[in-house]
Short mmCIF file of all heavy atoms in Angstrom, two decimals:
data_model
loop_
_atom_site.label_atom_id
_atom_site.label_comp_id
_atom_site.label_asym_id
_atom_site.label_seq_id
_atom_site.Cartn_x
_atom_site.Cartn_y
_atom_site.Cartn_z
N VAL A 78 53.29 68.29 -12.83
CA VAL A 78 51.88 68.76 -12.91
C VAL A 78 51.78 70.16 -13.53
O VAL A 78 51.32 71.10 -12.89
CB VAL A 78 51.24 68.72 -11.52
CG1 VAL A 78 50.94 67.32 -11.04
CG2 VAL A 78 52.06 69.45 -10.49
N PRO A 79 52.16 70.30 -14.78
CA PRO A 79 52.19 71.65 -15.42
C PRO A 79 50.90 72.19 -15.93
O PRO A 79 50.80 73.40 -16.23
CB PRO A 79 53.18 71.42 -16.57
CG PRO A 79 52.94 70.00 -16.97
CD PRO A 79 52.65 69.26 -15.70
N GLU A 80 49.86 71.29 -16.04
CA GLU A 80 48.63 71.74 -16.71
C GLU A 80 47.98 72.87 -15.97
O GLU A 80 47.77 72.80 -14.77
CB GLU A 80 47.68 70.50 -16.82
CG GLU A 80 48.11 69.37 -17.71
CD GLU A 80 49.19 68.49 -17.03
OE1 GLU A 80 49.31 68.50 -15.79
OE2 GLU A 80 49.90 67.77 -17.74
N GLY A 81 47.66 73.86 -16.74
CA GLY A 81 46.97 75.01 -16.17
C GLY A 81 47.85 76.12 -15.67
O GLY A 81 47.39 77.13 -15.17
N TYR A 82 49.13 75.96 -15.83
CA TYR A 82 50.11 76.89 -15.32
C TYR A 82 51.05 77.31 -16.47
O TYR A 82 51.29 76.60 -17.39
CB TYR A 82 51.04 76.30 -14.21
CG TYR A 82 50.21 75.75 -13.05
CD1 TYR A 82 49.92 74.42 -12.99
CD2 TYR A 82 49.86 76.59 -12.01
CE1 TYR A 82 49.20 73.88 -11.92
CE2 TYR A 82 49.13 76.07 -10.95
CZ TYR A 82 48.82 74.75 -10.89
OH TYR A 82 48.10 74.23 -9.80
N LYS A 83 51.58 78.54 -16.30
CA LYS A 83 52.66 79.04 -17.17
C LYS A 83 53.69 79.67 -16.30
O LYS A 83 53.43 80.17 -15.19
CB LYS A 83 52.09 80.10 -18.18
CG LYS A 83 51.30 79.55 -19.34
CD LYS A 83 50.72 80.65 -20.15
CE LYS A 83 51.77 81.63 -20.70
NZ LYS A 83 51.16 82.66 -21.58
N VAL A 84 54.90 79.73 -16.83
CA VAL A 84 56.04 80.43 -16.16
C VAL A 84 56.82 81.18 -17.18
O VAL A 84 56.72 81.00 -18.39
CB VAL A 84 56.93 79.48 -15.42
CG1 VAL A 84 56.29 78.79 -14.25
CG2 VAL A 84 57.51 78.41 -16.39
N SER A 85 57.62 82.13 -16.66
CA SER A 85 58.64 82.76 -17.56
C SER A 85 59.88 83.07 -16.73
O SER A 85 59.81 83.13 -15.53
CB SER A 85 58.01 84.08 -18.12
OG SER A 85 57.88 85.05 -17.09
N ARG A 86 61.00 83.16 -17.43
CA ARG A 86 62.25 83.46 -16.74
C ARG A 86 63.05 84.46 -17.63
O ARG A 86 64.03 84.14 -18.30
CB ARG A 86 63.05 82.17 -16.56
CG ARG A 86 64.30 82.33 -15.69
CD ARG A 86 64.07 82.10 -14.25
NE ARG A 86 65.20 82.34 -13.39
CZ ARG A 86 66.11 81.41 -13.12
NH1 ARG A 86 66.05 80.25 -13.69
NH2 ARG A 86 67.13 81.70 -12.35
N LYS A 87 62.56 85.69 -17.51
CA LYS A 87 63.20 86.77 -18.30
C LYS A 87 64.47 87.32 -17.66
O LYS A 87 65.35 87.88 -18.26
CB LYS A 87 62.20 87.88 -18.56
CG LYS A 87 61.05 87.46 -19.47
CD LYS A 87 60.16 88.65 -19.80
CE LYS A 87 59.16 88.30 -20.86
NZ LYS A 87 58.30 87.16 -20.56
N GLU A 88 64.46 87.20 -16.28
CA GLU A 88 65.60 87.62 -15.52
C GLU A 88 65.99 86.51 -14.58
O GLU A 88 65.17 85.67 -14.17
CB GLU A 88 65.26 88.89 -14.62
CG GLU A 88 64.69 90.01 -15.42
CD GLU A 88 63.99 90.97 -14.46
OE1 GLU A 88 62.93 90.63 -13.96
OE2 GLU A 88 64.55 92.07 -14.15
N LYS A 89 67.25 86.53 -14.22
CA LYS A 89 67.74 85.41 -13.37
C LYS A 89 67.03 85.38 -11.98
O LYS A 89 66.80 84.30 -11.47
CB LYS A 89 69.23 85.56 -13.19
CG LYS A 89 69.96 84.30 -12.72
CD LYS A 89 71.44 84.50 -12.73
CE LYS A 89 72.12 83.22 -12.41
NZ LYS A 89 73.61 83.31 -12.49
N ARG A 90 66.75 86.51 -11.47
CA ARG A 90 66.20 86.57 -10.08
C ARG A 90 64.74 86.28 -10.00
O ARG A 90 64.22 85.98 -8.95
CB ARG A 90 66.54 87.88 -9.45
CG ARG A 90 65.87 89.10 -10.12
CD ARG A 90 66.30 90.42 -9.42
NE ARG A 90 65.74 90.49 -8.09
CZ ARG A 90 66.51 90.66 -6.99
NH1 ARG A 90 67.82 90.77 -7.07
NH2 ARG A 90 65.94 90.74 -5.77
N ASN A 91 63.99 86.41 -11.03
CA ASN A 91 62.53 86.27 -11.00
C ASN A 91 61.96 85.14 -11.76
O ASN A 91 62.45 84.77 -12.91
CB ASN A 91 61.86 87.54 -11.55
CG ASN A 91 62.21 88.78 -10.75
OD1 ASN A 91 62.23 88.70 -9.54
ND2 ASN A 91 62.44 89.94 -11.41
N PHE A 92 60.93 84.49 -11.23
CA PHE A 92 60.33 83.29 -11.82
C PHE A 92 58.82 83.30 -11.49
O PHE A 92 58.40 82.55 -10.62
CB PHE A 92 61.03 82.08 -11.31
CG PHE A 92 60.67 80.78 -12.05
CD1 PHE A 92 60.65 80.71 -13.47
CD2 PHE A 92 60.38 79.59 -11.36
CE1 PHE A 92 60.33 79.55 -14.13
CE2 PHE A 92 60.10 78.43 -11.99
CZ PHE A 92 60.07 78.41 -13.39
N PRO A 93 58.09 84.15 -12.18
CA PRO A 93 56.62 84.24 -11.84
C PRO A 93 55.81 82.99 -12.30
O PRO A 93 56.16 82.41 -13.33
CB PRO A 93 56.19 85.48 -12.59
CG PRO A 93 57.12 85.64 -13.67
CD PRO A 93 58.48 85.09 -13.22
N LEU A 94 54.85 82.65 -11.54
CA LEU A 94 53.89 81.58 -11.89
C LEU A 94 52.59 82.18 -12.30
O LEU A 94 52.05 82.97 -11.55
CB LEU A 94 53.67 80.67 -10.64
CG LEU A 94 52.72 79.52 -10.86
CD1 LEU A 94 53.32 78.43 -11.81
CD2 LEU A 94 52.36 78.86 -9.50
N ILE A 95 52.07 81.80 -13.48
CA ILE A 95 50.92 82.47 -14.06
C ILE A 95 49.81 81.42 -14.19
O ILE A 95 50.01 80.35 -14.72
CB ILE A 95 51.26 83.05 -15.43
CG1 ILE A 95 52.37 84.09 -15.32
CG2 ILE A 95 49.98 83.72 -16.04
CD1 ILE A 95 53.18 84.23 -16.57
N LEU A 96 48.62 81.76 -13.65
CA LEU A 96 47.43 80.96 -13.89
C LEU A 96 46.51 81.73 -14.78
O LEU A 96 45.93 82.76 -14.32
CB LEU A 96 46.81 80.64 -12.56
CG LEU A 96 47.43 79.55 -11.70
CD1 LEU A 96 48.73 80.03 -11.08
CD2 LEU A 96 46.46 79.03 -10.63
N GLU A 97 46.44 81.40 -16.04
CA GLU A 97 45.71 82.15 -17.04
C GLU A 97 44.16 82.07 -16.74
O GLU A 97 43.50 83.08 -16.86
CB GLU A 97 45.95 81.61 -18.44
CG GLU A 97 47.38 81.79 -18.90
CD GLU A 97 47.56 83.11 -19.69
OE1 GLU A 97 46.65 83.94 -19.74
OE2 GLU A 97 48.68 83.30 -20.18
N SER A 98 43.74 80.89 -16.37
CA SER A 98 42.26 80.75 -16.07
C SER A 98 42.16 79.77 -14.90
O SER A 98 41.86 78.58 -15.07
CB SER A 98 41.56 80.20 -17.32
OG SER A 98 40.18 80.09 -17.06
N PRO A 99 42.31 80.31 -13.71
CA PRO A 99 42.36 79.43 -12.50
C PRO A 99 41.05 78.62 -12.33
O PRO A 99 39.92 79.17 -12.66
CB PRO A 99 42.53 80.41 -11.36
CG PRO A 99 43.06 81.61 -11.94
CD PRO A 99 42.52 81.68 -13.35
N SER A 100 41.21 77.42 -11.82
CA SER A 100 40.00 76.61 -11.55
C SER A 100 40.14 76.16 -10.09
O SER A 100 41.22 76.12 -9.48
CB SER A 100 39.98 75.37 -12.46
OG SER A 100 41.13 74.58 -12.32
N PRO A 101 39.03 75.69 -9.51
CA PRO A 101 39.03 75.31 -8.06
C PRO A 101 40.05 74.18 -7.79
O PRO A 101 40.61 74.14 -6.66
CB PRO A 101 37.58 74.80 -7.85
CG PRO A 101 36.74 75.60 -8.79
CD PRO A 101 37.60 75.76 -10.03
#
Side-chain angles (χ1 to χ4, degrees):
Chain A
V78 288
E80 294 78 20
Y82 304 95
K83 283 175 57 177
V84 292
S85 69
R86 188 90 184 272
K87 294 184 170 58
E88 304 163 289
K89 197 171 187 178
R90 64 182 292 123
N91 296 321
F92 191 47
L94 179 70
I95 303 154
L96 284 72
E97 294 270 5
S98 183
S100 62

